């Protein structure tokens, strides 16, 4: 790439369609996320938010359209896919840590197996990341010995261990007790400030207002609004967004 070529968007989806049987769950989705941008995805249950995340990570095949990460179209399968998938870190509602491995081993595993780094290097990096998410002192424990908030922070450290270009978060705080939500949001906010490109599905409106550069509102498989948080929360344009905000802000 020459210096004159503008950098491609970090995530680009063009005319993406996805069906589950007859159900059309992503309808001609067009959207881009610039590098360093934090985009919060909102929308009612069943609107396609998780499917969009999974499609970006190729955990879910799409029926038509194109998805590219950092300018590279996602191949359907094979070695190239494994490499591109490693560029995209994903954190889910359920932490999915390996129960029989220590916290440290959970974070070291993928770099050792996929990136083939030395164990000394993997350990050093894992400890740095555990430090960064505030749980280095728990490194030798097992997941079940940690609180939900701590486990989710391990899951974030584990995703970061692969040096991803993008982080996808699908309702990372929805399974947590209320008192643990903030500690996870704080880690995410720090990550955003450091310039990580992030796509975040969340019901945490405070996070959306404070940390997001953009809010994307989905309804029935479509992107209905794509605006600044300020604009979305104070002057939503569509009836669907107004209805959604009415429900979520008053409950
Ligand atoms: N594996 C699947 N097989 C069939 N239908 C599915 C599958 N996964 C999701 N769906 C359907 O696709 C639609 C979109 O689901 P998706 O999980 O993406 O919604 P969502 O916006 O993430 O909802 P929620 O807020 O409840 O997490 C829903 O109607 C859902 O029932
Ligand atoms: Mg979902």
């Amino acid at each position: 790439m020459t210096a004159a070529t503008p950098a491609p968007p970090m995530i680009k989806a063009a005319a993406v369609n996805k069906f589950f049987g007859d159900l059309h769950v992503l309808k001609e989705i067009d959207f881009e996320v610039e590098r360093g941008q934090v985009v919060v995805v909102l929308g009612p249950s069943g609107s396609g938010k998780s499917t969009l995340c999974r499609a970006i990570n190729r955990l879910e095949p799409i029926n038509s359209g194109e998805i590219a990460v950092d300018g590279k179209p996602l191949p359907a399968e094979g070695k190239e896919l494994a490499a591109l998938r490693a560029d995209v870190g994903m954190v889910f509602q359920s932490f999915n840590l390996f129960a029989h491995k220590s916290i440290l081993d959970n974070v070291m595993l993928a770099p050792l197996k996929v990136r083939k780094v030395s164990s000394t290097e993997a350990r050093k990096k894992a400890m740095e990341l555990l430090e960064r998410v505030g749980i280095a002192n728990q490194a030798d424990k097992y997941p079940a010995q940690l609180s939900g908030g701590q486990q989710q922070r391990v899951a974030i450290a584990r995703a970061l261990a692969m040096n991803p270009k993008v982080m996808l978060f699908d309702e990372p705080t929805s399974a947590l007790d209320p008192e643990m939500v903030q500690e996870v949001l704080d880690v995410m906010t720090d990550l955003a400030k450091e310039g990580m490109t992030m796509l975040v599905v969340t019901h945490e409106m405070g996070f959306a207002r404070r940390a997001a550069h953009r809010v994307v509102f989905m309804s029935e498989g479509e992107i209905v609004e794509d605006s600044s948080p300020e604009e979305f929360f104070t002057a939503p344009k569509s009836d669907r967004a107004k209805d959604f905000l009415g429900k979520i802000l008053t409950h």
Side-chain angles (χ1 to χ4, degrees):
M1 200 188 289
T2 66
T5 313
M10 196 53 106
I11 303 173
K12 182 178 167 70
V16 170
N17 284 288
K18 166 73 185 174
F19 293 83
F20 284 115
D22 290 339
L23 193 63
H24 198 177
V25 288
L26 296 178
K27 299 176 183 164
E28 290 287 314
I29 296 286
D30 280 310
F31 96 126
E32 295 184 359
V33 180
E34 298 303 325
R35 56 198 63 227
Q37 233 182 17
V38 177
V39 176
V40 163
V41 181
L42 301 176
S45 181
S47 56
K49 306 178 298 293
S50 294
T51 306
L52 179 64
C53 287
R54 294 169 61 78
I56 290 169
N57 208 14
R58 270 289 195 267
L59 291 168
E60 204 68 79
I62 55 177
N63 296 92
S64 64
E66 192 171 86
I67 298 175
V69 172
D70 199 14
K72 291 177 233 150
L74 289 195
E77 53 196 25
K79 253 198 168 140
E80 249 182 295
L81 174 61
L84 279 177
R85 205 180 256 160
D87 284 342
V88 182
M90 188 144 178
V91 176
F92 304 88
Q93 181 173 336
S94 53
F95 327 124
N96 297 322
L97 298 175
F98 295 107
H100 301 293
K101 290 190 181 297
S102 72
I103 297 309
L104 182 63
D105 284 342
N106 264 278
V107 180
M108 285 173 63
L109 193 66
L112 280 177
K113 297 263 185 227
V114 183
R115 297 271 198 232
K116 309 283 183 210
V117 304
S118 71
S119 66
T120 315
E121 201 182 319
R123 179 179 305 267
K124 182 166 172 276
K125 173 95 197 249
M127 284 310 294
E128 280 168 16
L129 287 167
L130 288 173
E131 192 78 54
R132 184 156 148 200
V133 300
I135 33 179
N137 57 351
Q138 314 282 336
D140 296 326
K141 289 193 180 168
Y142 287 85
Q145 297 174 289
L146 268 55
S147 72
Q150 290 173 325
Q151 289 188 59
Q152 193 59 304
R153 287 185 280 149
V154 175
I156 294 172
R158 183 177 59 173
L160 291 174
M162 294 294 278
N163 286 327
K165 294 178 177 172
V166 179
M167 286 284 284
L168 307 177
F169 293 87
D170 190 1
E171 303 203 24
T173 60
S174 298
L176 299 177
D177 290 338
E179 72 270 22
M180 289 166 194
V181 169
Q182 198 53 47
E183 65 193 51
V184 172
L185 293 179
D186 286 346
V187 168
M188 292 167 61
T189 303
D190 286 347
L191 207 52
K193 282 188 191 141
E194 288 160 22
M196 178 61 79
T197 308
M198 294 165 55
L199 188 69
V200 185
V201 180
T202 184
H203 298 299
E204 294 296 327
M205 297 299 143
F207 177 83
R209 277 176 183 271
R210 279 191 308 274
H213 299 108
R214 266 164 68 201
V215 169
V216 164
F217 174 72
M218 290 184 74
S219 174
E220 296 174 16
E222 292 174 312
I223 292 181
V224 179
E225 305 212 14
D226 185 344
S227 55
S228 68
E230 170 74 16
E231 199 183 338
F232 181 77
F233 288 111
T234 57
K237 291 189 265 319
S238 63
D239 287 341
R240 285 191 267 184
K242 283 177 198 161
D243 183 49
F244 173 80
L245 282 172
K247 283 180 187 141
I248 209 154
L249 298 176
T250 54
H251 84 185

